[in-house]
Amino acid sequence: MFHDPDLETLPREDLKKLQLSRLKDLVLRTYHNVVFYRNKLEELDFRPEHLRSLSDIRHLPFTEKQDLRDHFPYGLLALPRENVVRIHASSGTTGKSTVVGYSRRDVRNWAGLMARSLAAAGVSSRDIVHNAYGYGLFTGGLGVHYGVEELGATILPISGGGTKRQAMLLKDFGPTVLTCTPSYALHLYEVAREAGIEFRDLGLHTGIFGAEPWTDEMRLEIEAKLGLKALNIYGLSEVMGPGVGQECEAGHQGIHIWEDHFLVEIIDPRTRENLPPGQTGELVLTTLTKEAQPLIRYRTRDLASLIDTPCCCGRTHTRISRILGRSDDMLIIRGVNVFPSQIEGLLIETEGLTPHYQLILGREKSMDTLEIRVEVDESIFSDEIKHLQRLEQKIKNNIKEFLGVTAGIKLVEPRSLDRSEGKAQRILDLRG
Ligand code: ADP
Ligand code: ZN
């Protein structure tokens, strides 16, 4: 289902023309209205009129998360503060949170893109959406909220927390769509189950999950347990919030990034050179229409690859792969690089384990160590010790064989690890 059929299926040539005219306008606006960008462009001897083609973007400066922190809270506004109608902030997952301002048109565009994302996921005006993303400074709750209203569907503004009550509401209000983080979806499933509510008996047909990395193995697990189609939504507060991109109903073919509003690049984080489709690197986004706080070549620190083949859904907007993780989350264990998502994939594929795990980083004699704690299934929890030990050894061998790292494995009781109401906290760093 298309929300903006003409724009979503715009021939790529026309899409590129639109991007170029918007990029020119962006450079002009930032050059004149944001001191930070004027200085950066002048340092590079780049004047707005030098921009002639889309590939000239390579000459434009990058914007780093640190630049937003340095200009906290309002230093990067391109409009007078009185034209800002809303403020949000990032969750602060990797440090001090960053602040972002929106103009009246920015919040309208956001609602439109979020509605477009919902429609791409198969949501229509007949649906009832149980929105368990947190409401507040975090963009998840309000972002989804206004998109649902824009689409004309029914919003249940639940927010995060109060999980037992949420389980009851799922039963009482009959939502057809669930929106939250993938880890919270699993938590909600467990709590509902304890209260005698089976997800499969509810009328939920689709879950729109994002705000944290999750693997395709995790997706399969969620779909099997919750009995719904689990689709991936991508966004970040600095660039807008949820709805920068969305996996379409065609299913698991990558996340469409709405290119009439965002220019997408994947770069090698070390050389900062652009990478071709298929190669994994850092996602870089330029906001083409944001008025209040536009960003040029924002380095998201999220790792993904471009998929440039046409999608069977008919949308012409490019796609990115599932996010592998954040560059900040990469673990280096005795010289070997590994992402939590790679460990997640292996754990979920192992019979007898649940998708609840924690990675504990420690240090022994100046060497980094990794311990993986993972909850076992109820079914094998009461097994004999020697069976559990055999399972531990098996996981250890798999991690060594497929990822090249030596990890300590600790199987723990079902439901013993902390559950999060928003983004899962999977890494515990005890290295001091
Ligand atoms: P913070 O960086 O503090 O968590 P936000 O709350 O704005 O800030 O969250 C945006 C970040 O969440 C993204 O940069 C990305 O790392 C992560 N994220 C959002 N959606 C997804 C997704 N679908 N898959 C993986 N990671 C995601
Ligand atoms: Zn598609």
Side-chain angles (χ1 to χ4, degrees):
M1 260 165 290
F2 297 101
H3 184 66
D4 304 304
D6 296 345
L7 284 166
E8 290 174 59
T9 60
L10 202 61
R12 286 209 61 82
E13 276 314 299
D14 297 333
L15 194 50
K16 286 189 171 162
K17 271 188 210 147
L18 180 64
Q19 284 192 315
L20 179 60
S21 81
R22 289 182 166 176
L23 183 62
K24 284 181 173 170
D25 177 60
L26 167 74
V27 173
L28 211 60
R29 284 187 288 123
T30 49
Y31 182 81
H32 288 292
N33 303 330
V34 186
V35 177
F36 166 76
Y37 280 122
R38 173 188 287 262
N39 291 342
K40 280 224 164 199
L41 290 166
E42 279 182 347
E43 261 169 43
L44 295 168
D45 247 335
F46 194 94
R47 314 213 132 248
E49 60 274 20
H50 293 163
L51 188 89
R52 297 214 178 80
S53 71
L54 275 182
S55 59
D56 287 335
I57 187 137
R58 285 154 206 250
H59 306 305
L60 295 176
F62 288 101
T63 310
E64 312 266 351
K65 207 173 258 257
Q66 191 57 40
D67 295 323
L68 275 89
R69 292 183 177 142
D70 290 345
H71 294 83
F72 181 89
Y74 303 134
L76 290 181
L77 290 182
L79 289 181
R81 215 277 311 134
E82 53 268 35
N83 294 358
V84 171
V85 301
R86 205 195 300 166
I87 296 288
H88 277 289
S90 72
S91 313
T93 309
T94 59
K96 190 175 165 68
S97 60
T98 52
V99 168
V100 57
Y102 302 78
S103 70
R104 196 180 290 268
R105 186 182 294 160
D106 291 337
V107 292
R108 270 193 213 134
N109 279 340
W110 184 12
L113 288 180
M114 191 56 230
R116 191 193 284 187
S117 301
L118 290 159
V123 181
S124 77
S125 58
R126 291 182 301 279
D127 280 300
I128 303 176
V129 181
H130 178 111
N131 183 22
Y133 283 113
Y135 280 62
L137 278 176
F138 170 56
T139 50
L142 287 171
V144 170
H145 182 101
Y146 288 109
V148 172
E149 289 188 353
E150 175 69 22
L151 188 67
T154 307
I155 182 80
L156 304 173
I158 309 289
S159 194
T163 309
K164 255 194 190 147
R165 175 150 182 272
Q166 289 211 27
M168 289 307 186
L169 295 176
L170 280 173
K171 202 170 159 213
D172 295 343
F173 290 167
T176 52
V177 176
L178 172 64
T179 55
C180 59
T181 59
S183 56
Y184 190 66
L186 280 170
H187 179 40
L188 191 52
Y189 161 82
E190 288 174 341
V191 173
R193 205 149 191 227
E194 268 177 9
I197 300 163
E198 252 326 313
F199 255 67
R200 295 191 153 273
D201 302 336
L202 304 169
L204 292 167
H205 59 75
T206 302
I208 300 178
F209 305 128
E212 65 184 13
W214 53 312
T215 53
D216 204 48
E217 288 82 1
M218 176 73 93
R219 185 217 10 124
L220 289 169
E221 176 93 12
I222 291 177
E223 291 189 333
K225 282 189 161 151
L226 278 63
L228 44 71
K229 186 164 188 172
L231 293 171
N232 203 355
I233 184 164
Y234 177 75
L236 65 171
S237 54
E238 294 90 331
V239 167
M240 182 175 82
V244 171
Q246 169 71 46
E247 191 172 41
C248 65
E249 237 185 324
H252 323 309
Q253 312 272 346
I255 302 169
H256 287 282
I257 300 287
W258 307 125
E259 286 185 285
D260 45 340
H261 294 268
F262 308 103
L263 210 147
V264 192
E265 298 171 87
I266 297 281
I267 62 162
D268 177 326
R270 276 160 312 180
T271 64
R272 298 165 150 222
E273 294 294 327
N274 284 74
L275 290 176
Q279 286 193 27
T280 300
E282 181 177 350
L283 177 65
V284 171
L285 293 169
T286 297
T287 65
L288 295 172
T289 52
K290 277 279 280 298
E291 288 184 331
Q293 199 170 315
L295 292 176
I296 296 176
R297 304 191 87 192
Y298 182 64
R299 294 188 58 171
T300 64
R301 302 193 191 177
D302 292 327
L303 300 171
S305 59
L306 279 172
I307 305 171
D308 70 342
T309 48
C311 185
C312 55
C313 71
R315 290 180 182 82
T316 50
H317 297 235
T318 200
R319 286 167 293 150
I320 57 166
S321 66
R322 200 170 265 287
I323 307 279
L324 177 67
R326 303 179 187 236
S327 52
D328 319 65
D329 283 350
M330 188 177 75
L331 308 174
I332 305 178
I333 308 298
R334 305 190 179 195
V336 181
N337 300 351
V338 54
F339 281 97
S341 60
Q342 294 174 292
I343 297 173
E344 178 181 297
L346 281 177
L347 293 178
I348 295 180
E349 281 187 335
T350 309
E351 188 102 24
L353 302 183
T354 71
H356 301 286
Y357 65 95
Q358 201 174 36
L359 309 178
I360 292 120
L361 299 175
R363 190 166 282 151
E364 242 169 56
K365 294 188 196 133
S366 77
M367 291 278 244
D368 285 342
T369 59
L370 170 66
E371 179 184 288
I372 302 174
R373 289 188 193 153
V374 56
E375 289 180 14
V376 293
D377 228 284
E378 298 281 357
S379 64
I380 70 151
F381 179 56
S382 45
D383 271 12
E384 282 179 47
I385 288 284
K386 66 170 194 267
H387 288 153
L388 295 174
Q389 279 170 345
R390 217 175 290 143
L391 180 57
E392 278 182 355
Q393 195 56 44
K394 182 176 156 197
I395 304 166
K396 195 176 168 119
N397 294 346
N398 276 345
I399 301 266
K400 180 74 191 166
E401 182 180 357
F402 292 106
L403 305 177
V405 294
T406 306
I409 311 293
K410 194 167 172 193
L411 300 179
V412 299
E413 268 180 60
R415 310 189 45 71
S416 61
L417 297 177
D418 281 348
R419 301 291 190 264
S420 148
E421 291 178 348
K423 296 179 191 249
Q425 282 281 354
R426 292 219 165 88
I427 301 175
L428 193 63
D429 195 340
L430 304 177
R431 289 172 301 183

